[in-house]
Amino acid sequence: ALRPATSLPLHGVRALVTAGPTHEPIDPVRYLANRSSGRQGYAIAGALAAMGAQVTLVSGPTDLPPPPGVTLHRVETAEEMLAACEAALPCDVAICAAAVADWRVARPGTRKIKKSPDAPPPGLTLVPNPDILAHLSRPGPARPRLVIGFAAETDDVRDNAAAKRLRKGCDWIVANDVRAETGIMGGHENEVTLITATGMEHWPRTSKDAVARGLVHKIVTEIAPSHH
Ligand code: CTP
Ligand code: CA
């Protein structure tokens, strides 16, 4: 860049981004997971860094290289993701793009579970995982100024996402339609509705990189308006 780094709009701003799926162990060789590629979160982390932010990216297992200028912490489980996020505080803006597993296996086997022709399949007892977005959104001195969540929905996308924003206590929520036929989860494109306290705007389908740049533009407008 020809501009000095200090003139970038998010210079001095600390950002935390979560991305990717989590893997919740069943035993040493098996896990529960989901279709998240991590692409949307990595694109946001990269776009924030390009605008001068100091970015910590807490990522579940993905195949993606870290975006330039981003500090990457790789984790596997939801509990590890929460701990890595807490270690990254304080920050000014937090964006939770990870598809955190909602449940983990209560007591993962320390040895591989063996199948037996006579025994029925093992039952898995699941327990809820911590909600990282709700945790970061809780009021208090360490709360980031701006907390942004995603809402992965297959039905009543906008209504469910608007309710989720209120339930989680985050400032903005980015709703996306993850029905299999959209190809969004695991794909390269996204079609989102940004929901804030004052309204919602629909963005036509485009690349996850373009969604990331659009969202970062909104963030600049919100927290560094003089640069806008
Ligand atoms: N999230 C999180 N920690 C969790 C679950 C979700 O931080 N344990 C975050 C996601 O990163 C996303 C937002 O919460 O920003 C919404 O996730 P989503 O799965 O859409 O919502 P849930 O509240 O988990 O509800 P459900 O899966 O039942 O729709
Ligand atoms: Ca969920």
Side-chain angles (χ1 to χ4, degrees), residues 99-103 152 164 168:
V100 183
D102 291 316
W103 308 281
K164 210 170 257 183
K168 304 263 189 176

